[in-house]
Amino acid sequence: MSTSRKTEVADHLREALTRGDYKPGERLPGEEELAEQLDVSRATARLGMRILQDEGRIAIQAGRGAFVADHRPIVHLATPITGGSDSERFDAGYQPHLREAGYDQIDEKIKVSLDTMRPKVARRLRRGDAGDGPHGGLVVIRASDRFVEGSLWQSQVTHFPFSIANNTPLMSPDRLEQGVAAVLQELGYREDWNWDIVGARMPSQDEAESFGLGPGIPLLVQERVAYDGETPLRFTETVMPANRHQLLYSGGRAPEELLLMASDVNIFER
């Protein structure tokens, strides 16, 4: 079984998927049929199919066969617009958007904790002196796990300096219907600018199991630090499977209907 032959199998299937010969969720030819078509052994056909599985292009199910990966990503509104960001307003924005896409069972679980500030968080919040002062080393953590059809869909963790969040609604495990930015404004802090970094990485084994990910599916990681002038107010890290999410950024005076306007955009389209 030469490497070149299994690569030929993978190339053959990849080209077929690119042409749209098979639709998302459709069953692909089995190992035996594929081996006969390409004049290779079943073992070589199997190895070629595994290459595409590792790329996240197909899903191989034991006893059922191989199927085209069904990438139907939900648009994640990364840029706040009039009325707030859907990533923060679960009931008013994010949940209805999922229901419109055909998902019914949607839930959010929130946990709040108090911990010492890890070096990564201290760097994001520019707290080089995190250990100084009576509460300088403490951070309030709001963790939100969002579930769709019983599976973990998105995980978001926000860190607030203790001096900002102590004895405020930010320490409550209840959902903040008006959004974090609105709560901060009520406390006298205005989020007037922020920066984002978005990257991709492969999940750990625990993350793959928690998100229910097959081989070859990376995670998108979005980091955001929001400021009031030169004062960092919060650091938020959102982790989401790349085949289920795509980030939407806007510039200028984007309309409130932006999320609806872009809801049918799919970067996996060919």
Side-chain angles (χ1 to χ4, degrees):
M1 294 179 290
S2 68
T3 301
S4 60
R5 294 297 281 162
K6 71 178 182 183
T7 301
E8 289 176 14
V9 175
D11 290 343
H12 170 81
L13 287 173
R14 196 181 294 108
E15 290 171 4
L17 294 176
T18 301
R19 289 194 304 269
D21 294 351
Y22 302 97
K23 298 179 181 179
E26 186 175 347
R27 191 177 187 277
L28 293 168
E31 294 173 5
E32 186 173 354
E33 182 180 349
L34 196 59
E36 185 175 342
Q37 286 180 6
L38 302 178
D39 192 25
V40 297
S41 68
R42 287 188 60 177
T44 300
R46 185 183 309 120
L47 290 174
M49 297 176 80
R50 285 179 180 173
I51 291 176
L52 264 70
Q53 178 181 241
D54 291 341
E55 294 176 358
R57 302 290 296 272
I58 68 174
I60 300 176
Q61 302 177 14
R64 296 191 59 204
F67 298 82
V68 181
D70 187 4
H71 294 319
R72 291 181 297 161
I74 294 295
V75 173
H76 172 84
L77 185 59
T79 304
I81 58 173
T82 303
S85 166
D86 73 316
S87 66
E88 296 170 3
R89 303 181 68 212
F90 185 69
D91 284 339
Y94 201 77
Q95 185 172 217
H97 188 47
L98 283 165
R99 294 196 185 283
E100 290 173 5
Y103 297 101
D104 296 320
Q105 300 178 20
I106 307 166
D107 190 23
E108 181 181 42
K109 295 182 179 179
I110 300 172
K111 292 191 298 183
V112 178
S113 60
L114 185 66
D115 203 351
T116 54
M117 195 176 295
R118 293 184 292 115
K120 173 182 177 179
V121 178
R123 286 194 298 272
R124 303 302 189 272
L125 295 177
R126 295 194 299 140
R127 297 289 173 119
D129 58 344
D132 297 341
H135 305 301
L138 294 179
V139 63
V140 174
I141 304 172
R142 288 186 63 89
S144 170
D145 285 340
R146 290 167 175 179
F147 297 84
V148 176
E149 308 297 348
S151 297
L152 183 61
W153 186 265
Q154 183 188 83
S155 180
Q156 187 174 80
V157 179
T158 300
H159 303 79
F160 301 91
F162 182 82
S163 58
I164 290 177
N166 183 35
N167 291 325
T168 73
L170 298 173
M171 294 191 73
S172 169
D174 296 332
R175 188 175 297 147
L176 303 175
E177 303 296 348
Q178 71 272 48
V180 171
V183 173
L184 285 169
Q185 188 164 358
E186 291 175 357
L187 297 173
Y189 300 98
R190 179 180 177 83
E191 289 191 0
D192 52 16
W193 70 283
N194 62 264
W195 59 256
D196 283 23
I197 289 181
V198 180
R201 62 172 173 81
M202 296 307 295
S204 66
Q205 183 174 347
D206 288 344
E207 288 174 325
E209 292 176 356
S210 296
F211 283 106
L213 299 178
I217 303 297
L219 293 173
L220 287 177
V221 181
Q222 177 194 17
E223 291 190 2
R224 169 172 291 179
V225 179
Y227 294 79
D228 181 348
E230 296 183 358
T231 303
L233 300 178
R234 58 166 167 153
F235 161 49
T236 300
E237 182 179 59
T238 306
V239 179
M240 42 202 149
N243 63 331
R244 301 177 196 163
H245 297 81
Q246 48 194 9
L247 304 185
L248 173 62
Y249 286 84
S250 66
R253 299 177 61 84
E256 193 167 347
E257 299 80 16
L258 174 63
L259 187 61
L260 180 62
M261 294 164 59
S263 61
D264 61 347
V265 174
N266 188 335
I267 63 170
F268 295 100
E269 288 178 336
R270 295 288 181 177

